[in-house]
Amino acid sequence: MPLARLANEPHRVFFPLGILASILGVALWPLHFGGILAAWPLEAHARLMVVGFGGCFIVGFLGTAGPRLLGSFPWTTPEVVAHATTSGAIITLLMLGQVPAADTVTGFWLAGVLASLGVRFVFGRKDVPPPGFPIAVLGVVGACIGSFALAIHSVVHLSPLWHSFWRLMLFQGFLWLPILGVAPYLLPRFFGKSSPHSLDESRSIPRGWWRPFFISVIAGLLMIYSFEVEARGLLRPGMWLRAAVVGVSIAFSVPGWLGWGGVNAVGRGLRWVVPCALAGWIAAGWFVPLRIGLLHGMFIGATGLIMIGVATRVVLGHGGRHDRLQSPMKWFHAVWALLLLVAATRITPEFVPKIRISHYIYAASFWTITMLFWAWRLRLEFAKPKPIKLLQPSFGRSGWRLPNLDLRRGA
């Protein structure tokens, strides 16, 4: 594939990198229990899943969609190569157990991504971004600062409050602030609805932009406030506030989410995102000592599922297969069902400790199978024949006539 196309559509680089990072991230557990890795892999695993998997999907989406939404020029080949190389270095460092070094490189990586987006906004912008996208960028900013803060903590210990706060900004804010920013713009399309965040193209602030912007800002600030509440030791109120923010924000800003029918398998799967997120935070707040395991309901069933669902649309849409997005895509039922199975498998050992090792390995295996199955099925979508577009006959002065028809596939 030409490098110019990869630069124009960075998701073609970062989505596969994210899948690779996630498979390596879950592989740490069987490697540890098999005696190959001596160190407890929790910190490296968490970063491979959040920064590696989540970060690559977020950067791939913003790098592809950001310039288009701004009406600006795409990323250059050197930028994509630099960002991809840096993310690869982060994955390598984490696999080697060099967590502080990986945090430092993550901070520089995200700073570079922000610079790439900022250049397009300042010098090439011909349109105002959707109202929620500043909150998505805020999530990247918070993760950038949080990565540097955690790297510094390995040398000069931060106070418990600040250490906890920046961990939450990296591990949850990096995922959920972009979701809150992008969901009102993108998710209604999965449900056959128009988005209140999709406004007329304009270099100045268009009419109707400010109201959804302020709503997004309030949701984002409340999310950050919930991190402070939890960092102060009020774990249950912090997590429950986060659940309320996500539930209310998406319910009122994403038309069609509260329905059930009228969608294909991708839309049906995405309707599990909010229930999984709420269940994860509420359960973690209720059983605080078990919160690390219970939060996997939110991480896997919500953030993992929404990223795979959105990535499906991005890959097929930019690959010229909008027709497949409107098809039933029944195979995606297996994807979201498998992800829910992964979440349940990972949560179960919190209540039955004697099966912990086996279920860690089962969950890692199911995740790997799910990612490979999704990538394989998505690739098969491009092999399906394109529909032939037939133009309707028109009635002119000389009577009925048929236009010239081009019956080539995809015409």
Side-chain angles (χ1 to χ4, degrees):
M1 182 179 296
L3 288 177
R5 187 173 183 184
L6 293 177
N8 195 48
E9 298 176 340
H11 72 273
R12 296 179 180 274
V13 177
F14 289 101
F15 288 178
L17 269 175
I19 294 298
L20 174 62
S22 73
I23 292 175
L24 293 174
V26 297
L28 291 176
W29 294 111
L31 289 174
H32 172 72
F33 293 126
I36 298 173
L37 292 179
W40 184 247
L42 178 61
E43 293 296 327
H45 164 77
R47 285 164 173 80
L48 280 166
M49 301 307 291
V50 172
V51 177
F53 173 68
C56 283
F57 271 66
I58 290 169
V59 170
F61 176 81
L62 291 177
T64 299
R68 287 172 169 79
L69 292 171
L70 293 170
S72 187
F73 50 93
W75 283 7
T76 64
T77 300
E79 282 177 300
V80 173
V81 170
H83 294 322
T85 302
T86 308
S87 61
I90 295 167
I91 295 170
T92 302
L93 287 168
L94 290 172
M95 289 302 296
L96 295 174
Q98 302 298 316
V99 174
D103 286 339
T104 303
V105 179
T106 298
F108 284 112
W109 177 47
L110 296 180
V113 170
L114 290 168
S116 293
L117 294 173
V119 167
R120 272 79 190 166
F121 181 82
V122 174
F123 297 106
R125 182 177 67 84
K126 297 183 179 64
D127 194 8
V128 175
F133 270 64
I135 305 305
V137 174
L138 178 61
V140 181
V141 172
C144 176
I145 299 173
S147 297
F148 283 129
L150 294 181
I152 292 172
H153 178 73
S154 64
V155 180
V156 180
H157 288 291
L158 303 174
S159 68
L161 188 154
W162 282 111
H163 178 246
S164 178
F165 176 80
W166 288 118
R167 281 184 67 88
L168 288 166
M169 280 296 297
L170 176 61
F171 292 126
Q172 296 190 37
F174 187 27
L175 302 175
W176 279 100
L177 289 172
I179 289 174
L180 289 179
V182 171
Y185 175 78
L186 194 57
L187 290 192
R189 306 179 186 199
F190 290 92
F191 309 132
K193 304 292 184 180
S194 60
S195 168
H197 284 222
S198 184
L199 304 171
D200 295 335
E201 183 175 343
S202 173
R203 285 186 62 89
S204 58
I205 302 295
R207 183 178 181 181
W209 191 88
W210 285 109
R211 183 175 183 274
F213 169 73
F214 283 125
I215 292 174
S216 296
V217 167
I218 291 171
L221 292 179
L222 284 173
M223 172 73 71
I224 295 173
Y225 177 65
S226 76
F227 298 151
E228 181 188 355
V229 171
E230 183 173 341
R232 291 185 180 278
L234 303 173
L235 277 66
R236 181 174 296 172
M239 287 185 276
W240 286 2
L241 173 59
R242 209 165 305 138
V245 169
V246 170
V248 172
S249 175
I250 293 183
F252 283 94
S253 64
V254 179
W257 175 77
L258 293 175
W260 185 251
V263 296
N264 66 3
V266 182
R268 184 67 57 82
L270 288 177
R271 286 196 169 126
W272 286 99
V273 168
V274 174
C276 287
L278 301 191
W281 279 315
I282 292 172
W286 192 266
F287 302 100
V288 171
L290 308 178
R291 65 187 182 278
I292 293 178
L294 294 176
L295 283 173
H296 281 76
M298 174 271 294
F299 282 121
I300 300 171
T303 59
L305 180 52
I306 195 171
M307 288 184 183
I308 290 298
V310 170
T312 301
R313 185 177 187 92
V314 171
V315 171
L316 291 177
H318 286 275
R321 296 310 306 262
H322 292 279
D323 60 297
R324 300 309 305 157
L325 292 170
Q326 298 172 5
S327 69
M329 293 183 68
K330 293 182 179 180
W331 60 267
F332 198 86
H333 287 302
V335 173
W336 63 258
L338 281 168
L339 284 173
L340 296 185
L341 175 62
V342 175
T345 304
R346 175 58 184 84
I347 290 170
T348 302
E350 301 303 317
F351 299 98
V352 189
K354 66 180 181 180
I355 63 172
R356 184 178 304 275
I357 294 177
S358 63
H359 275 58
Y360 274 36
I361 296 173
Y362 294 154
S365 301
F366 291 151
W367 175 273
T368 301
I369 292 170
T370 305
M371 294 299 104
L372 294 177
F373 173 74
W374 171 74
W376 171 65
R377 287 297 314 194
L378 198 58
R379 186 175 182 85
L380 288 183
E381 288 295 314
F382 288 96
K384 296 185 181 295
K386 291 185 177 181
I388 297 174
K389 298 179 181 179
L390 294 176
L391 300 179
Q392 295 295 324
S394 61
F395 190 79
R397 292 183 180 179
S398 59
W400 286 100
R401 60 183 175 85
L402 286 172
N404 293 327
L405 299 180
D406 186 352
L407 298 182
R408 293 173 301 170
R409 193 179 77 162

